[in-house]
Amino acid sequence: MKPRAPATEKRAVRKLPAFSGELAGLGPARRRALEAAGFSSAEDLLWWLPARYEDRRFPTPITRLKEGQSALVKGRVLGCRSRRARRGGLTLTEALVSDSTGNLHVVWFNQPWMERALATGAEIYLFGRISLFSTKAGLRLQMDNPSIEPVGEGSQSSMDKVVPVYRKIGGLPSKMFRGLVHRLLEEQPPLDSLPDEIKSAESLPELADAFRQIHFPEEPPGPEAGGSFERARRRLVMEELLAVQCVLGEARRERSLSSGVVIPATQEAGKLLRRMLPFHLTAAQRRAFREIAADLASGKPMYRLLQGDVGSGKTIVAFLAMAWASHSGFQAAFMAPTEILARQQAQRLAERVAPEGLEAGLLTASVSGQARRELLCRLASGDLKLVVGTHSLFQEKVLFKNLGLVVIDEQHRFGVEQRARMVAKGVSPNVLVMTATPIPRSLALTLYGDLDISVLDEKPPGRLRVITRVRDDSSLRKVEAFCRSEMDRGGQVFYVFPMIEGSEDDDTQAAIQAYERLGSGAFRGYPAVLLHGKMTAAAKERAVAAVRQGRAKLLVATTVVEVGVDLPEASVMVVMHADRFGLAQLHQLRGRVGRAGQQGYAIMMCSPGASPAAMERLAILERTDDGFEIAEADLMFRGAGDLGGLRQWGGGGFRVANPVKDVALLESARKWAVAMTKGEISWKEGEKERFNAWVRSWSERLGSWGQIG
Ligand code: ADP
Ligand code: MG
């Protein structure tokens, strides 16, 4: 794939050309909001899949309503009034609705316009949640803030049927999406781009029908969702998987045509590496390095994925390869996803190679002025052979004399274009991508195309398994006491939070607030630092240094610690709101403690009110330490009933497909993609063009994937 515009440029908001004002209900304000939220076409709207469905088919008789239930009620308005509440400046609109069984109180907060729709005697549907409300006369059931609709709206009705509920985005309500999608499917249904042959062989419906089923199913899709809903889902899955397979196939063809540099194995190099090693390599590390060395010497550009759980020791393997390349006169670059990591790795690399008289440079956004100019000069002249950096490395101004090896750490953190641009800085350089996201091998092959894979399936010796416990709020005090006792014994403690700033409704999540709360409360007197993604590079560096040098005992952080900050003395990690993280991510997080041979502990704290199912999911982490098992479990959980799930594989990519569950479809997508490139598929008028456009959109989007486009 050709490099595109520099990634540092802010991506211009793209237009929504397909609507061009023709779609009723999409005025300029909404259009802008949609564009700002990343929607660029009608198709994007269709792919914004329901997060869940509400079954509004059967009205519940008023006397049968129960507290906590979301229910549809069909009734007549007996009366209605609005008033200002005594406290809080709220406007309360109250109505009394009756059906043949009884009367129901209905309340809206701050929606005075509701009154207009509530003419006495009008017959309406109400859908909302039933709560228990205490009055002077005792407890009564009421319905809070329901959506309502006059009876008899016909096909425009949002009652009397299964209704899709969309996640709110760009401040746009679910109801608006429902309307837009409905009109789109009526007025501008998407044209099909899948050849008949594939559709009939896989028994897949037309694209427009599939979208109709997914957005407006007749039955609420349950776990046993069979029949037409499942067929529709498979159609969308195929759509995604096929696009990805085509992109991979294209990348594969391009690679197979290129030839690379030869980095020969010499005795000299071997000796250098042995001198560099601070410890004995594990058998897995030795195997991986041998595989890499063979690639380097082969004359074909290496394209290898080095997979290994957190702490399995990927870095040293990469460093050896880099030293090897530089020994043969080539330059080698190491891309790290964050400034902290780049600094840390640059330092580690420099320490390793300094005794051999080699130097390792650092290039990040905060290296500037004279230092930067000098560094760029030395890279261009080939004087500097080893460099570690962040995204800064692939800016246009950075030129290499003879880049022979590119290492990409935590590959999922980089977009496909960014990786491509880096690779383009050498003449078919060798590429080693590293990931701690375990992917079953068979799946990796299908997902990543034909890259070679080395696996570190063994941990360095002496590492104890991190003891993991899932806890809820009731254990908060105990957990804090445990942390204090660990710190008293010389250990360090991480508190990890999912968000940087608390939103107004849920500020308990805030690492910042927590830092203050913990520092003046449970951990008063313990030196603490805060670390989050929005701090300046220098401030982050200071925080990390304070922990590394033992000046700080407590680190309160957002998930920036996930990607490999190496603080070996840390022994306890407390993850707050653990139920909001994926299992694989939690597994990576806990790999951050107990790295210096001490016993590590991970405590997964659930949010107040987390469901038993959520705790059950986390319990997997108590039971197993196997990254592969955890990743699979993660995918299974995420897929279930979560059609529009935001975070899919590695945080990017699919909106419907679940590579683990849909592995059979993945296999057939691969076959069809091959058949397409061989010209064995016949297309109808316009079909191929539409399909290619779809594939192109994927090749741009594949940001979070493993392949170098
Ligand atoms: P990751 O695979 O998560 O990137 P690292 O490369 O950061 O893991 O290694 C984790 C820790 O283990 C580092 O502190 C590293 O020095 C150490 N380490 C790596 N390999 C070995 C080994 N063979 N023996 C002992 N310690 C090792
Ligand atoms: Mg690492």
Side-chain angles (χ1 to χ4, degrees), residues 485-492 553 569 571:
S485 75
E486 270 294 307
M487 289 191 280
D488 291 340
R489 295 209 320 233
Q492 288 174 324
K553 291 274 179 212
E569 300 305 321
S571 53

Side-chain angles (χ1 to χ4, degrees), residues 278-282 285 308-317 344-345 348 352 409-410 434 436 456 459-461 463 564 566 568 592 595:
F279 34 60
H280 291 290
L281 291 182
T282 63
Q285 284 170 319
D309 231 339
V310 238
S312 59
K314 296 182 288 293
T315 315
I316 189 74
V317 176
Q344 185 178 295
Q345 304 292 38
R348 280 162 87 181
R352 289 274 79 78
D409 198 9
E410 312 287 349
M434 307 205 287
L456 299 185
K459 294 241 163 107
R463 200 70 59 76
D566 198 20
R592 301 280 132 223
R595 298 189 98 179

Side-chain angles (χ1 to χ4, degrees), residues 76-81 94-98 104 106 108 118-121:
R76 228 169 254 291
V77 179
L78 296 181
C80 169
R81 60 167 185 159
E94 291 169 293
L96 194 63
V97 172
S98 82
L104 175 67
V106 187
W108 289 270
L118 293 165
T120 302

Side-chain angles (χ1 to χ4, degrees), residues 327-349:
H327 186 78
S328 304
F330 289 96
Q331 289 173 299
F334 186 107
M335 285 191 5
T338 66
E339 167 111 27
I340 303 186
L341 279 172
R343 283 181 180 273
Q344 185 178 295
Q345 304 292 38
Q347 200 185 336
R348 280 162 87 181
L349 179 60

Side-chain angles (χ1 to χ4, degrees), residues 68-232:
Q69 161 190 32
S70 289
L72 178 72
V73 167
K74 186 178 180 183
R76 228 169 254 291
V77 179
L78 296 181
C80 169
R81 60 167 185 159
S82 285
R83 62 183 170 90
R84 308 282 292 177
R86 269 180 304 258
R87 265 178 299 167
L90 284 178
T91 306
L92 278 184
T93 305
E94 291 169 293
L96 194 63
V97 172
S98 82
D99 67 6
S100 58
T101 69
N103 295 347
L104 175 67
H105 287 266
V106 187
V107 179
W108 289 270
F109 303 99
N110 283 339
Q111 299 184 40
W113 57 88
M114 274 296 174
E115 206 176 340
R116 259 178 286 144
L118 293 165
T120 302
E123 197 181 20
I124 59 170
Y125 285 116
L126 306 99
F127 185 86
R129 220 178 136 77
I130 304 297
S131 70
L132 204 55
F133 185 75
S134 68
T135 67
K136 282 185 203 116
L139 293 175
R140 68 153 197 244
L141 289 176
Q142 68 176 31
M143 191 180 254
D144 299 324
N145 284 312
S147 9
I148 62 165
E149 193 184 284
V151 169
E153 286 283 275
S155 74
Q156 287 298 305
S157 168
S158 66
M159 302 289 175
D160 236 356
K161 56 175 70 153
V162 176
V163 175
V165 180
Y166 302 86
R167 254 193 332 275
K168 209 168 173 166
I169 188 168
L172 298 165
S174 182
K175 200 168 159 187
M176 184 214 71
F177 276 103
R178 199 181 300 145
L180 281 180
V181 169
H182 196 267
R183 275 191 298 275
L184 258 181
L185 288 172
E186 300 256 294
E187 294 163 21
Q188 312 174 19
L191 295 168
D192 216 284
S193 62
L194 212 54
D196 285 343
E197 190 181 342
I198 301 182
K199 275 180 293 201
S200 65
E202 305 283 339
S203 29
L204 300 171
E206 292 285 318
L207 187 59
D209 287 337
F211 277 124
R212 281 187 196 107
Q213 271 298 331
I214 295 285
H215 286 282
F216 304 103
E218 264 150 35
E219 306 258 316
E224 68 289 350
S228 52
F229 186 86
E230 179 56 15
R231 271 197 301 282

